[in-house]
């Protein structure tokens, strides 16, 4: 799975997908549910970048189920967040109502807040702002970004920081 993550980070999506699928088979044989869930999540990210949203959704739905059954509340919530990012892309293609995705992102941001997961909360808020912009709800998008900007100093992930800045610029 670490090899797959490295391949993904390098942009070799085909090799990353193959590596994740191989690891998934091994973890399923070992009945290692936590490793299966982690691998499904990584594989789903690759599938999303390959624009295979249906397959990404299926992998993430399974990961959410596994995490929930294991009582891994934070990890289950994060898998739901990744599922919402897929739903947002589906909404952009007209395959899902954007208002439903916005409502899910609002719930996720609240859940992350309650669990003290500031970085994930910020990610959910900037995605929420994006969804609201797509719906033409500029004031509500600005509200989500204002909430995200309060938490932004706690964000260490450079990709998340860049996304915050980009979305913030789109809102203003």
């Amino acid at each position: 799975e670490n090899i797959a993550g490295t391949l993904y980070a390098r942009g070799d999506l085909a090799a990353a997908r193959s590596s994740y699928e191989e690891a998934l088979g091994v973890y399923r044989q070992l009945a290692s549910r936590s490793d299966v869930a982690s691998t499904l999540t990584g594989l789903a990210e690759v599938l999303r970048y390959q624009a295979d949203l249906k397959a990404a959704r299926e992998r993430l739905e399974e990961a959410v189920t596994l995490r929930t059954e294991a009582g891994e509340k934070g990890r289950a919530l994060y898998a739901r967040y990744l599922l919402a990012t897929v739903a947002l892309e589906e909404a952009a293609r007209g395959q899902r109502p954007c208002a439903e995705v916005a409502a899910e992102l609002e719930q996720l941001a609240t859940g992350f807040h309650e669990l003290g997961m500031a970085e994930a909360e910020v990610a959910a808020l900037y995605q929420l702002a994006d969804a609201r912009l797509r719906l033409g709800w500029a004031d509500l998008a600005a509200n989500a970004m204002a909430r995200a900007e309060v938490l932004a100093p706690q964000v260490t992930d450079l990709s998340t920081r860049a996304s915050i800045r980009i979305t913030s610029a789109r809102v203003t």
Side-chain angles (χ1 to χ4, degrees), residues 63-122:
V64 168
T65 298
L66 290 170
R67 297 289 192 198
T68 302
E69 288 173 353
E72 298 175 345
K73 191 171 183 179
R75 289 181 176 188
L77 197 62
Y78 194 76
R80 279 183 50 208
Y81 162 74
L82 293 175
L83 191 55
T85 65
V86 169
L88 193 56
E89 289 187 37
E90 291 169 336
R93 296 177 180 186
Q95 299 169 342
R96 181 169 302 281
C98 195
E100 286 179 13
V101 179
E104 173 70 2
L105 287 164
E106 181 70 52
Q107 289 176 356
L108 290 165
T110 299
F112 289 135
H113 181 78
E114 290 170 356
L115 292 176
M117 299 173 67
E119 199 149 333
E121 181 182 357
V122 169

Side-chain angles (χ1 to χ4, degrees), residues 3-59:
I3 293 170
T6 300
L7 292 166
Y8 170 72
R10 289 184 180 171
D12 190 347
L13 299 180
R17 181 177 182 167
S18 177
S19 184
Y20 274 124
E21 287 171 344
E22 183 179 334
L24 185 59
V26 170
Y27 290 137
R28 285 192 195 281
Q29 286 179 344
L30 296 172
S32 178
R33 294 170 65 85
S34 183
D35 289 324
V36 167
S38 293
T39 305
L40 285 166
T41 300
L43 177 57
E45 282 294 283
V46 171
L47 292 165
R48 185 170 69 92
Y49 280 104
Q50 290 181 322
D52 190 347
L53 300 181
K54 181 179 184 281
R57 168 173 288 288
E58 290 167 356
R59 300 321 181 276

